[in-house]
Amino acid sequence: MTASLLWLLLVPAVEPAEPDRPLDIEQEEQVQVRLVLVDVLVTDRSGRTVPGLGREDFTLLVQNRPVEIDTLDSGCRAGATEDPGPRSSGQPFQAPAGDGRIVLLFDHHHMDMGERLDTLSAAREIVDGGIGPGVQVMVAVLTDGLRILQPFTSDTDLLSAALDTMEQDVTIWARLFDPPFRPLTESGYFRDLSRLRDVLGGYDGAKAVVLFSACLGRSDANDLWYLDVAHRAAESRSAIYPVYARGLEPPQGGKRTEPAGGSRALARLANESGGRFTRLTNDLSLGYSRAVRDLACRYTLGFYLEDSGMNQVM
């Protein structure tokens, strides 16, 4: 009995065999597949949004060649809605039904003190009247750089506080860019616009930037900067909705170097980014109403970008 027990103790334990492991040949295969998203607003001839469309209703061209639409997301819960019109004098602001993220952006590069007060008053009407259910708003200003005073929030008290800060902070309010203090080029202005789009790229979904501005810059120059706006708009999925801060006032004292009641530069910003330009109205809140309505009925088309140079062995 003792001998048998001793023999069992002397038998070495047998470890289970390890599973076969793949041979490491120190090579990696890197494959990059990019899904490109294109946000689309569809309206009929009267300006009403059009819900209920499918992939077969769209033709997507890339470099003038049709590409296959791989995905389609539709967000039109409000159904067909009218294009908002300007409010009459004394009519309270009421945001249309919608959801999404909207930036209230104040262009202090191109607005004097009176225009800043007018646009700030319009923003307060928007906040006090209700930004709309499901909407989040950011408050930012272009001054000596990009200043974000309030990140996206639906809390109207925080938004009101941010607007108060913009008026009371002397480093924001007192900085004027009129001649002879205006920079020689618009490079800083476009740089700050680009920085904002980089910030917005960190948020999912389509977004709108309501740009209060009185910019009267040229639209037939600075093509590379406008091209950068278009690229960053696509990457960050953020369209610019400029609002001409002078309302019905003709630009440059009535001189017809620009279209009446507007600016070719602001119109090009809207066109390059997929937004809409609001002009010829003293209702400076109209651009916000349009942005909310448009975000409420967006189609997002997706297609896979073929990148033949990305499949390689490292």
Side-chain angles (χ1 to χ4, degrees):
M1 183 70 177
T2 303
S4 299
L5 180 59
L6 180 61
W7 180 83
L8 290 174
L9 292 175
L10 291 177
V11 175
V14 179
E15 296 183 359
E18 294 186 3
D20 293 336
R21 295 180 179 177
L23 179 63
D24 186 2
I25 58 175
E26 298 183 353
Q27 290 184 338
E28 295 180 0
E29 182 176 1
Q30 189 176 76
V31 179
Q32 180 169 341
V33 179
R34 289 194 292 173
L35 178 64
V36 180
L37 301 178
V38 180
D39 293 306
V40 179
L41 171 67
V42 182
T43 61
D44 60 20
R45 292 182 179 179
S46 63
R48 290 171 59 90
T49 52
V50 180
L53 300 180
R55 276 192 288 182
E56 66 280 0
D57 297 310
F58 294 91
T59 299
L60 183 60
L61 302 179
V62 177
Q63 295 180 342
N64 292 325
R65 297 180 179 178
V67 297
E68 181 180 356
I69 299 174
D70 295 285
T71 63
L72 173 65
D73 290 331
S74 173
C76 265
R77 286 178 289 180
T81 54
E82 301 283 350
D83 191 21
R87 293 178 294 144
S88 59
S89 179
Q91 181 180 359
F93 173 82
Q94 184 175 1
D99 52 21
R101 294 187 173 99
I102 297 180
V103 182
L104 297 179
L105 180 62
F106 298 83
D107 175 14
H108 281 199
H109 281 257
H110 301 101
M111 292 195 297
D112 59 26
M113 286 297 187
E115 292 153 2
R116 295 178 187 182
L117 284 171
D118 290 341
T119 55
L120 185 62
S121 176
R124 286 197 168 111
E125 286 184 288
I126 292 169
V127 172
D128 293 343
I131 58 176
V135 176
Q136 292 185 337
V137 173
M138 172 188 290
V139 177
V141 58
L142 302 177
T143 177
D144 285 328
L146 170 66
R147 300 274 297 270
I148 297 178
L149 305 181
Q150 175 58 54
F152 284 118
T153 182
S154 56
D155 189 329
T156 55
D157 289 337
L158 293 178
L159 294 172
S160 295
L163 297 176
D164 291 340
T165 297
M166 188 170 64
E167 182 178 14
Q168 298 165 6
D169 188 337
V170 68
T171 65
I172 298 175
W173 194 255
R175 180 69 167 95
L176 291 175
F177 293 85
D178 293 332
F181 306 107
R182 186 179 297 279
L184 295 177
T185 72
E186 297 280 15
S187 60
Y189 175 62
F190 280 92
R191 181 193 62 240
D192 293 342
L193 282 176
S194 297
R195 287 174 174 170
L196 176 62
R197 315 309 270 286
D198 292 339
V199 172
L200 297 180
Y203 295 88
D204 295 332
K207 297 160 285 285
V209 179
V210 179
L211 172 63
F212 297 105
S213 177
C215 176
L216 292 173
R218 297 175 59 180
S219 63
D220 57 350
N222 305 325
D223 288 338
L224 291 179
W225 292 339
Y226 283 110
L227 183 62
D228 181 69
V229 168
H231 286 171
R232 293 177 187 269
E235 292 176 355
S236 61
R237 301 179 64 188
S238 55
I240 300 179
Y241 283 67
V243 176
Y244 187 60
R246 295 180 182 177
L248 292 172
E249 176 188 339
Q252 298 185 356
K255 297 179 181 179
R256 296 303 177 182
T257 56
E258 291 285 342
S263 156
R264 290 189 178 93
L266 294 178
R268 185 170 180 182
L269 282 177
N271 291 335
E272 295 283 2
S273 66
R276 302 167 64 193
F277 183 26
T278 297
R279 64 188 184 98
L280 294 175
T281 177
N282 286 328
D283 179 13
L284 301 182
S285 67
L286 180 57
Y288 179 88
S289 297
R290 287 176 167 172
V292 173
R293 195 290 303 254
D294 293 355
L295 285 180
C297 190
R298 285 267 174 169
Y299 294 92
T300 302
L301 311 179
F303 69 96
Y304 286 102
L305 181 63
E306 295 182 2
D307 203 338
S308 58
M310 293 306 298
N311 296 337
Q312 57 184 331
V313 177
M314 302 293 289

